[in-house]
């Protein structure tokens, strides 16, 4: 591994390897984005439709540990993990090794045509590791949306009911059904209707914005939701309640404690399948292997994706054996679901989480970040709320002295962080949340440096 700092002579920095062997440092050698990235971005503009947006237009050549390196030789601190995907790090050594071995053996057979062991092993591991010690089954698909959509198919088939209950600020994907399940119109739904039928949206127990105050949020929200289901839909018509244990795109909203257990109890009492969408929260991200563990929830079905395979496309549906076994032969599946490279990567991810103590590591990152974020909230009135768990944290920005969302300031803080070499993402129904999702392979020093950049960006706006 070597970097030539003289990018001008060589045309581009000669980095020969990504992964954790990259120098773990922030290093800016051009403005962000640099000339090479700008050139490629111009090509992107004429080859790719604008519907595919860009958070930060630097074109990546290498990544690993806690940094992303761009085509101009800039090394940026990564507080995004490709949206909570490279939780074990980019080009993580065990992932690279297993995928390299597999790619030379075979790349695809279609598991539904001729199966292979790694798929079964991933499913065995998911059955063992997800909450609850009941008999479980799993099957594999390609994306988070596909997992959620399949969970609804299974729940409908198993219950013989049609209605699906979802929540304000929820995000579940971009396919027809999952964009219908998603709360936010712009950009996810605008112009893409008509939407799928039999989807009902309920209030979310959002402590920071609950009209009756954070302390009454769980009980009041639960009463409203169960009453609306009873009166407006009829509990006996509901196949599934689909909810994120911490909402992701909606703004890292942690439901008021007690809300999720109450909802689960209501689902049980009424024969409703409780589906936990852990696509963003799963695989050590929140300081538990799965976020449901925080309140001891045992969902009927759990959907996973993002962090599952270190960046290779994979997702899973895991649930009670009697639910998943109810579907007829051939009723589930897909050509690519559980691709052998992605399965090897998932096995490597699970090994890495265990061997490197990444659940603990996520907690430690939370312990580093949350006190500093709370200190920001003390210092700057624009920071209205600090929340999250482990390596999934966020701040919500507001007009000082109110709870009014300030999306403009949020965007400006993100831009200033980007210009200083810190990759951060925004989120939230009102676009006023800065979310932090560092890979668990990041060093304490880079977390610290990233937070200092954030602090500077906030104090400068
Ligand atoms: C990202 C996400 C999805 C959709 O996953 P894709 O892989 O983008 O289809 C679904 N649910 C949640 C909670 C997510 O964060």
């Amino acid at each position: 591994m070597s970097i030539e700092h003289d990018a001008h002579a060589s045309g581009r920095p000669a980095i020969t390897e990504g992964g954790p062997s990259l120098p773990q440092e922030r290093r800016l050698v051009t403005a962000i984005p640099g000339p090479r990235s700008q050139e490629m971005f111009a090509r992107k503009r004429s080859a790719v439709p604008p519907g595919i947006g860009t958070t930060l237009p630097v074109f990546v050549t290498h990544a690993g540990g806690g940094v992303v390196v761009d085509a101009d030789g800039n090394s940026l601190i990564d507080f995004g993990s490709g949206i909570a995907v490279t939780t074990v790090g980019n080009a993580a050594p065990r992932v690279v090794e297993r995928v390299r071995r597999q790619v030379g053996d075979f790349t695809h057979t279609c598991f539904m045509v001729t199966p292979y062991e790694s798929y079964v092993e991933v499913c065995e591991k998911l059955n063992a590791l997800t909450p609850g010690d009941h008999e479980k089954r799993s099957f594999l698909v390609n994306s988070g949306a596909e997992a959620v959509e399949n969970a609804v198919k299974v729940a409908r088939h198993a219950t013989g009911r049609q209605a699906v209950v979802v929540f304000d600020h929820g995000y579940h994907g971009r396919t027809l059904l999952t964009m219908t399940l998603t709360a936010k119109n712009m950009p996810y739904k605008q112009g893409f209707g008509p939407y799928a039928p039999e989807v009902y949206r309920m209030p979310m127990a959002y402590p920071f914005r609950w009209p009756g105050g954070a302390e009454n949020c769980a009980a009041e929200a639960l009463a409203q939701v169960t009453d609306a289901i009873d009166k407006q839909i009829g509990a006996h018509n509901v196949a599934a309640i689909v909810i994120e244990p911490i909402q992701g795109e909606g703004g890292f909203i942690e439901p008021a404690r007690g809300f999720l257990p109450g909802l689960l109890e209501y689902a049980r009492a009424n024969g409703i399948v409780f589906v936990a969408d852990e696509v963003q929260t799963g695989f050590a991200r929140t300081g538990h292997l799965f976020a449901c563990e925080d309140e001891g929830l045992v969902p009927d079905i759990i959907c996973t994706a993002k962090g599952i395979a270190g960046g290779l496309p994979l997702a899973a549906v895991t649930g009670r054996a009697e639910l998943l076994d109810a579907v007829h032969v051939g009723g589930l599946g897909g050509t690519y679901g559980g691709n052998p490279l992605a399965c090897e990567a998932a096995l490597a991810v699970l090994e890495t989480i265990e061997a490197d103590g990444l659940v603990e590591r996520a907690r430690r990152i939370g312990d580093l970040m949350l006190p500093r974020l709370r200190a920001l909230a003390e210092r700057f009135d624009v920071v209205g709320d600090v929340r999250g768990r482990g390596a999934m944290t966020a701040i919500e920005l507001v007009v000082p002295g109110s709870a009014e969302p300030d999306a403009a300031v949020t965007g400006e803080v993100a831009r200033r962080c980007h210009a200083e070499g810190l990759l951060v993402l925004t989120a939230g129904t009102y676009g006023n949340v800065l979310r932090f999702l560092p890979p668990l392979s990041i060093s304490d020093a880079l977390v610290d440096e990233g937070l200092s950049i954030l602090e500077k960006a906030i104090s400068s706006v």
Side-chain angles (χ1 to χ4, degrees):
M1 212 297 317
S2 68
I3 297 186
E4 271 175 49
H5 283 267
D6 189 357
H8 305 289
S10 65
R12 70 168 59 204
I15 298 170
T16 54
E17 211 180 300
S21 53
L22 281 178
Q24 294 300 300
E25 60 180 13
R26 178 175 67 109
R27 187 186 62 244
L28 300 182
V29 297
T30 69
I32 301 292
R36 282 177 180 281
S37 283
Q38 287 183 35
E39 217 173 276
M40 284 184 257
F41 193 69
R43 281 168 55 201
K44 184 221 171 212
R45 284 247 270 279
S46 37
V48 180
I52 305 291
T54 305
T55 300
L56 170 54
V58 300
F59 277 69
V60 174
T61 58
H62 297 78
V67 299
V68 168
V69 176
D70 75 13
D72 293 285
N74 300 298
S75 176
L76 288 79
I77 300 173
D78 183 9
F79 273 14
S81 298
I83 318 188
V85 169
T86 53
T87 302
V88 299
N90 240 302
R94 290 181 187 84
V95 171
V96 170
E97 201 199 314
R98 270 189 175 260
V99 171
R100 271 204 178 123
R101 228 184 305 138
Q102 179 61 43
V103 78
D105 289 348
F106 67 94
T107 48
H108 174 82
T109 64
C110 186
F111 186 77
M112 304 181 304
V113 176
T114 46
Y116 38 89
E117 187 177 6
S118 57
Y119 183 119
V120 178
E121 201 179 335
V122 172
C123 293
E124 287 168 348
K125 293 229 149 81
L126 290 171
N127 295 345
L129 293 170
T130 50
D133 47 18
H134 51 282
E135 181 84 3
K136 292 177 214 151
R137 303 283 185 264
S138 290
F139 64 98
L140 306 178
V141 290
N142 301 294
S143 69
E146 218 186 323
V148 173
E149 185 133 0
N150 272 284
V152 170
K153 282 169 66 173
V154 167
R156 283 180 169 161
H157 200 289
T159 59
R161 307 171 178 181
Q162 294 186 353
V164 181
V165 167
V166 290
F167 294 84
D168 288 341
H169 313 289
Y171 180 87
H172 302 289
R174 294 174 181 269
T175 60
L176 176 58
L177 178 58
T178 58
M179 89 172 158
T180 306
L181 302 179
T182 291
K184 193 175 176 177
N185 177 56
M186 197 61 188
Y188 306 123
K189 302 165 86 161
Q190 175 59 41
F192 299 138
Y195 308 111
E198 287 304 317
V199 173
Y200 299 86
R201 190 166 311 284
M202 297 292 157
M204 179 60 178
Y206 183 174
F208 180 62
R209 295 188 178 281
W210 192 256
E215 62 289 354
N216 302 314
C217 178
E220 289 180 12
L222 188 63
Q224 287 183 16
V225 170
T226 55
D227 189 61
I229 293 176
D230 289 336
K231 301 295 188 310
Q232 297 174 24
I233 317 170
H236 59 283
N237 293 315
V238 178
I241 291 174
V242 181
I243 192 162
E244 300 153 88
I246 300 176
Q247 292 184 313
E249 305 303 302
F252 283 27
I253 299 163
E254 287 181 87
R257 286 187 83 77
F259 178 72
L260 292 173
L263 204 58
L264 177 60
E265 194 182 316
Y266 173 82
R268 284 283 139 75
N270 289 283
I272 299 169
V273 178
F274 187 94
V275 178
D277 178 350
E278 289 236 24
V279 168
Q280 192 154 162
T281 49
F283 299 101
R285 175 56 58 188
T286 64
H288 286 286
L289 196 52
F290 298 101
C292 279
E293 292 166 34
D294 188 60
E295 287 188 273
L297 300 176
V298 177
D300 299 309
I301 294 181
I302 175 165
C303 298
T304 53
K306 292 198 166 97
I308 192 174
L312 277 86
L314 190 72
V317 180
T318 300
R320 293 185 184 282
E322 64 272 23
L323 295 175
L324 271 69
D325 283 349
V327 178
H328 49 273
V329 173
L332 302 169
T335 306
Y336 291 115
N339 168 274
L341 302 179
C343 286
E344 290 295 332
L347 294 172
V349 163
L350 293 170
E351 274 168 38
T352 302
I353 288 173
E354 164 113 43
D356 294 355
L358 293 187
V359 171
E360 264 311 305
R361 179 66 194 146
R363 285 189 197 178
R364 159 89 184 143
I365 288 173
D367 291 344
L368 283 174
M369 295 191 73
L370 283 163
R372 285 196 60 186
L373 296 175
R374 290 190 189 112
L376 285 181
E378 302 261 297
R379 253 183 82 195
F380 302 107
D381 290 345
V382 70
V383 180
D385 196 24
V386 175
R387 51 187 183 246
R389 300 202 290 266
M392 182 173 184
T393 56
I395 55 176
E396 176 157 355
L397 302 186
V398 294
V399 174
S402 76
E404 192 188 323
D406 197 334
V409 157
T410 308
E412 188 50 35
V413 171
R415 271 188 293 282
R416 290 182 191 199
C417 289
H418 294 167
E420 289 300 313
L422 173 67
L423 173 45
V424 292
L425 307 173
T426 58
T429 299
Y430 314 107
N432 68 324
V433 174
L434 282 168
R435 56 172 157 170
F436 312 113
L437 293 161
L440 304 181
S441 52
I442 197 170
S443 66
D444 287 3
L446 285 178
V447 170
D448 252 5
E449 193 178 348
L451 288 167
S452 298
I453 293 168
L454 174 70
E455 194 176 318
K456 229 179 83 194
I458 293 176
S459 73
S460 73
V461 292

